[in-house]
Amino acid sequence: MDDKKIYKQLQDWFPELNCKKVPKESQRRDFQNFKAWMVTEKNGRQARSYLMPLHPAQPLRHSLGHSAVLQDMRLDLEKAHLEMEQAAQPTLQNYEQHKAEIGKNYSVQEQVAEIVLSEICSLLRQCGCRMLLIYADQYYWIAVPEHAEKVNKFCKKFEKQFKADEVWIELFSLSDCLKST
C-alpha cells in the first residue's frame, strides 16, 4: 500500500503543506507524527493547523484561531466562538436546572461538543468546505474542499493508515435534531 497518498492529498488540498516533507515510511502510520505534520507557521510566527483538536470534556475551550482554513477565510473567529457559546447555553442551563432528574450518567459535555462541531460545520459549509471528524485520543476536525469522491477515498485510506492507533474518521454532517433548533 502506498501510505503517502493521504499526505499527498492533503498537500493537494492545502498547498502550504507542500513545504513540509512527507514523513519517513516508518513514521507515516503514527497518528502523533501525522498531528505534528499538519501544523505550519505563517511568516515564521503564527501557528496554523489543518488538524484542529476538540476535547469532548471541554468543548468550549477550542482554538478556532489556529485553524489555517478559517484564518484564510478571514472570518471573525471571536464572534464565531461567542456564537458557539451562546448556542450551547440553553443546553448547559437546562442541564444545571434538571441535573437531579437527568442523572449522573448523562454527558452534557458530549452534547455541547456536538453543538460546537455543528456550528463549526455550518461555518465551513458557508465557505464551500466540508468537515472531517476524527475520533482518537480526543476529537479532531479537518476542513476539506467539497469534493465527495476525493473525500470518501481520503477517509478510506486514512482509516487503513491509522487502524493500528484505533483512529477513525467520518464526514461530519449536521444532526437533524440540531438543525431544527
Side-chain angles (χ1 to χ4, degrees), residues 40-145:
T40 64
E41 287 183 1
K42 189 157 190 160
N43 302 325
R45 56 189 161 100
Q46 185 179 17
R48 295 164 50 85
S49 182
Y50 290 94
L51 179 70
M52 298 302 302
L54 186 115
H55 199 289
Q58 299 176 323
L60 292 172
R61 292 185 131 181
H62 49 79
S63 53
L64 289 179
H66 293 291
S67 168
V69 172
L70 293 178
Q71 286 175 12
D72 292 345
M73 291 178 187
R74 304 207 189 293
L75 300 173
D76 184 346
L77 299 178
E78 286 182 31
K79 180 182 174 197
H81 181 75
L82 181 62
E83 289 172 356
M84 288 175 202
E85 286 179 342
Q86 290 172 342
Q89 281 310 307
T91 300
L92 292 169
Q93 289 171 347
N94 186 55
Y95 177 72
E96 284 303 316
Q97 289 174 351
H98 304 286
K99 198 185 303 188
E101 296 90 21
I102 292 173
K104 65 181 180 184
N105 294 328
Y106 176 75
S107 175
V108 70
Q109 295 305 331
E110 282 287 336
Q111 190 170 0
V112 171
E114 178 85 14
I115 291 167
V116 168
L117 289 168
S118 294
E119 292 288 322
I120 295 169
C121 186
S122 291
L123 268 177
L124 296 173
R125 295 292 295 240
Q126 293 171 22
C127 302
C129 291
R130 301 294 304 267
M131 178 195 286
L132 298 179
L133 184 61
I134 298 169
Y135 302 90
D137 55 320
Q138 61 183 353
Y139 298 145
Y140 296 90
W141 58 269
I142 303 174
V144 296

